[in-house]
Amino acid sequence: IPSRTSGEIAVADLLDRVLHKGLVLATISVAG
Amino acid sequence: MLYLYAILELPPPTKPLPAGIGGVAPLFVTSRDLACAATETADTTISPEPSQIWRHQEVVAALMEGRPVLPLRFGTVVEDAGACQRLLARHHDALCAQLERVRHCVEFALRVAGLPEMADPALDPVSISTGSGPGATHLRTLARRERGWPASTETFPHEGLAAHAAEQLLWACSPSQPDLRASFLVRRQNASSFLDDVAVLQRLRPDLGVTVTGPWPPYSFSDPDLSGGSE
């Protein structure tokens, strides 16, 4: 199991949600 | 252009909100009993810089204080306030139902590292292992990607996590994300009990990397699938 700090995990969880979840209504236009 | 953060019920909060995308304060576009938090932007494409992602999260989290919100996917933009109002009106009933679904709830993120590779038990391993056509290849890919909870609760006793969760969602895994990831929608009053349930799991399986973060806005439980239009 890779060693990760709580901050690293929190950021990974945040990115998962903000970038890949959330309501899809409008265009989603994110660069690269 | 308007960059959109989240949908909420009227009245919108009167408390000042954090700066949004581009450092601009959010405004509210309203239609009937719904509002959408938005920021005017000249950009048609939003760059997922750390500061922008953090601002998106900060605005959504501030909106969530004392009311249900439906966070929108990062990077959602519309032409103008009129377009936003038409979307709110078109999907009004579905959005209201979804707001009711997440009322009084927060989201927790669970990760489990160190579980052995699993296939989805719903897929018959014999039938998908012998074919060589594109269909069989696709099924094998799905079996690797769409795994569920381990079939044996001895491997991972996850059933205790459902006791204080209103809903749960298991994420698809991918080569870049080998952890088992799950989202739990938990009523605020049950948040402490849910975290206790996770702590029990961590004590039961100290050999696994079981982590939980949150509370987050209900990102994983906000989408009623509006692709078919309003009911």
Side-chain angles (χ1 to χ4, degrees):
Chain A
I1 299 170
S3 175
R4 294 174 294 193
T5 68
S6 57
E8 290 168 356
I9 293 167
V11 167
D13 286 345
L14 172 64
L15 291 176
D16 275 349
R17 279 155 182 76
V18 172
L19 296 179
H20 298 287
K21 294 292 182 184
L23 174 60
V24 176
L25 278 176
T27 59
I28 296 173
S29 187
V30 178
Chain B
M1 304 291 288
L2 276 183
Y3 179 91
L4 309 183
Y5 299 93
I7 292 168
L8 56 154
E9 297 167 329
L10 288 178
T14 54
K15 184 178 163 185
L17 292 172
I21 296 291
V24 180
L27 52 83
F28 293 101
V29 177
T30 64
S31 171
R32 295 170 64 180
D33 52 350
L34 295 177
C36 185
T39 288
E40 290 185 7
T41 176
D43 299 327
T44 55
T45 299
I46 307 299
S47 177
E49 302 289 338
S51 61
Q52 304 284 56
I53 291 171
W54 187 250
R55 282 174 174 147
H56 180 101
Q57 160 63 13
E58 289 264 270
V59 170
V60 173
L63 290 169
M64 198 179 155
E65 291 177 15
R67 68 184 58 77
V69 300
L70 301 178
L72 289 158
R73 182 80 55 90
F74 180 87
T76 300
V77 292
V78 293
E79 190 66 39
D80 53 26
C84 184
Q85 287 172 319
R86 287 190 290 276
L87 283 167
L88 291 175
R90 179 182 173 197
H91 301 302
H92 175 270
D93 292 351
L95 294 171
C96 288
Q98 204 68 10
L99 282 163
E100 202 55 49
R101 178 189 184 195
V102 302
R103 191 181 300 280
H104 306 308
C105 290
V106 293
E107 177 173 331
F108 285 98
L110 183 86
R111 277 177 187 264
V112 184
L115 281 169
E117 189 72 24
M118 295 169 296
D120 187 334
L123 289 170
D124 176 5
V126 175
S127 65
I128 65 171
S129 62
T130 53
S132 58
T137 303
H138 177 63
L139 282 176
R140 277 196 291 272
T141 302
L142 281 180
R144 284 195 299 271
R145 197 182 65 193
E146 302 290 347
R147 69 181 180 188
W149 293 110
S152 166
T153 53
E154 287 181 12
T155 304
F156 184 66
H158 59 84
E159 70 279 7
L161 296 174
H164 295 103
E167 295 184 42
Q168 57 182 290
L169 173 78
L170 201 61
W171 288 51
C173 68
S174 67
S176 64
Q177 292 274 5
D179 296 349
L180 186 149
R181 294 171 293 162
S183 299
F184 289 85
L185 188 68
V186 178
R187 291 179 69 83
R188 289 176 188 274
Q189 66 193 53
N190 292 334
S192 178
S193 299
F194 175 78
L195 293 174
D196 289 343
D197 295 339
V198 175
V200 168
L201 196 55
Q202 289 168 324
R203 285 195 295 273
L204 278 173
R205 292 300 306 268
D207 56 312
L208 297 175
V210 180
T211 61
V212 63
T213 64
W216 301 107
Y219 286 104
S220 302
F221 302 95
S222 293
D223 197 341
D225 185 4
L226 301 174
S227 55
S230 57
E231 296 299 317

